[in-house]
Amino acid sequence: MTASTSAPAPGPTPPNILLAHHLRQLKLPTVLREYEKVAAEAAREGLDHVRFLLRLVELELIDRERRMVERRIRAARFPAVKSFDTFDFAAIPSLNKPLVLELARCEYVAARDNIIAIGNSGTGKTHVCLALGLAACQRGLSVAFVTAAGLVHQLMEARDEKRLLRLQAQLSAVKLLIVDELGYVPLSQTGAELLFEVFSQRHERASTIVTSNLPFDEWTSVFGNQRLTGALLDRLTHHVHILELNGESYRLKQSKARRRKTAQPAIEIANSDTAEDAGS
Ligand code: ADP
Ligand code: MG
């Protein structure tokens, strides 16, 4: 009939194209990327089909976990990614190292405990929070990092735009909320109340880390209200681990050490000058 005039019927789709399509649909990108290589390996090593499949599936699982951790880190919005590997505990003797290492195992998150880190500026509070936040991401926990001022700003903006409930729900949902730098900026009455609500909603439901340069007895100056501060401390410190970071600023100490190093030759020259002067 007309068959001779129409284009030849397409042949069956090659299996590798179909496989690629199905693997994409099943969201198995690592299997897709690796199966040819692993198949060649399996042939070389004489692996049976089950072991070939096992190797591929293990690769997918490892990659999936790495992608999940990366997603958690991005979602946390850390200002920088820092870990305990680069933290020098010897520089801050007031910090309870065994407690910090214990906290790095993140069991306090399951227990819904809080952490408060108190200490003067530059002593490593933010670094410790970032490292604890990273450890939580690596264990697959959802984390959000904010500064107290930034959080209050977000809350006020959400309230003005009538999406406060949504933001509050998002903040309640994260397993670990890190609120850095409470105390640097005094809060307005509304700001203090909104922040209080966040802590209150998380109380005994999820963990919160707070850092402050102020000792507890000065927190009233931030919240501007003794009753609110009392209620807030009551909730935050109910199940709490306190980290004390008191000492000289790490950066200041480092730059002093650097200055001492570069100043050293000048002193030696000065000394040799005086020695010559004395000798002549
Ligand atoms: P804080 O938040 O207490 O003001 P930071 O955590 O911001 O202090 O520390 C200031 C800088 O010094 C950061 O770059 C931090 O990584 C570094 N730093 C502070 N303490 C240490 C430490 N003990 N070991 C390594 N780096 C540190
Ligand atoms: Mg800081």
Side-chain angles (χ1 to χ4, degrees):
M1 296 205 300
T2 54
S4 58
T5 55
S6 65
T13 313
N16 59 336
I17 303 220
L18 269 182
L19 181 60
H21 177 264
H22 295 339
L23 288 174
R24 273 195 204 99
Q25 209 164 17
L26 287 168
K27 297 196 166 39
L28 297 168
T30 309
V31 173
L32 175 57
R33 197 182 61 235
E34 300 291 331
Y35 80 86
E36 281 182 331
K37 201 177 85 196
V38 178
E41 268 171 26
R44 252 197 328 272
E45 298 170 27
L47 292 188
D48 61 27
H49 291 106
V50 174
R51 289 195 171 77
F52 159 68
L53 193 58
L54 177 65
R55 195 175 282 186
L56 259 186
V57 169
E58 279 173 348
L59 287 178
E60 185 71 56
L61 276 177
I62 293 167
D63 248 17
R64 186 170 285 189
E65 186 167 319
R66 187 184 48 76
R67 291 194 299 268
M68 183 266 296
V69 170
E70 281 171 3
R71 247 194 333 273
R72 293 273 187 236
I73 293 172
R74 273 197 304 276
R77 298 177 173 276
F78 296 125
V81 176
K82 290 192 184 183
S83 71
F84 287 117
D85 295 346
T86 55
F87 192 77
D88 176 12
F89 282 94
I92 182 87
S94 72
L95 182 62
N96 182 343
K97 181 178 173 182
L99 174 60
V100 175
L101 296 182
E102 159 74 30
L103 294 173
R105 288 166 41 200
C106 298
E107 280 157 16
Y108 70 96
V109 181
R112 302 173 170 93
D113 292 351
N114 298 323
I115 300 175
I116 301 180
I118 305 237
N120 48 305
S121 185
T123 50
K125 296 183 297 297
T126 301
H127 192 135
V128 168
C129 283
L130 289 170
L132 287 172
L134 182 66
C137 288
Q138 284 164 342
R139 277 166 182 72
L141 300 164
S142 55
V143 179
F145 184 102
V146 282
T147 61
L151 178 57
V152 166
H153 182 84
Q154 278 185 41
L155 289 162
M156 304 258 258
E157 202 171 69
R159 194 194 54 156
D160 292 347
E161 293 169 6
K162 308 222 179 310
R163 51 179 180 82
L164 182 60
L165 284 178
R166 196 158 20 116
L167 178 59
Q168 284 175 332
Q170 282 166 0
L171 289 166
S172 303
V174 286
K175 291 277 182 228
L176 175 62
L177 177 68
I178 304 174
V179 181
D180 199 16
E181 297 187 352
L182 185 80
Y184 281 104
V185 191
L187 305 171
S188 65
Q189 171 80 20
T190 316
E193 283 167 8
L194 287 170
L195 194 58
F196 171 78
E197 251 180 275
V198 171
F199 291 139
S200 197
Q201 285 168 352
R202 294 182 64 77
H203 176 54
E204 294 196 320
R205 293 202 191 100
S207 297
T208 308
I209 302 183
V210 177
T211 81
S212 181
N213 57 323
L214 297 179
F216 291 130
D217 55 5
E218 289 176 37
W219 282 28
T220 307
S221 66
V222 181
F223 288 93
N225 175 329
Q226 202 149 15
R227 199 176 40 80
L228 192 71
T229 311
L232 178 117
L233 280 174
D234 190 50
R235 282 161 181 73
L236 265 188
T237 59
H238 187 199
H239 297 283
V240 75
H241 305 274
I242 297 188
L243 302 177
E244 285 181 57
L245 293 92
N246 287 307
E248 200 181 354
S249 153
Y250 185 80
R251 276 208 210 96
L252 201 65
K253 205 154 58 183
Q254 290 231 312
S255 62
K256 270 188 194 164
R258 266 198 306 276
R259 264 204 303 275
R260 263 200 303 276
K261 249 189 210 153
T262 50
Q264 205 71 26
I267 292 166
E268 277 163 15
I269 290 164
N271 284 347
S272 63
D273 280 349
T274 42
E276 269 172 27
D277 287 348
S280 63

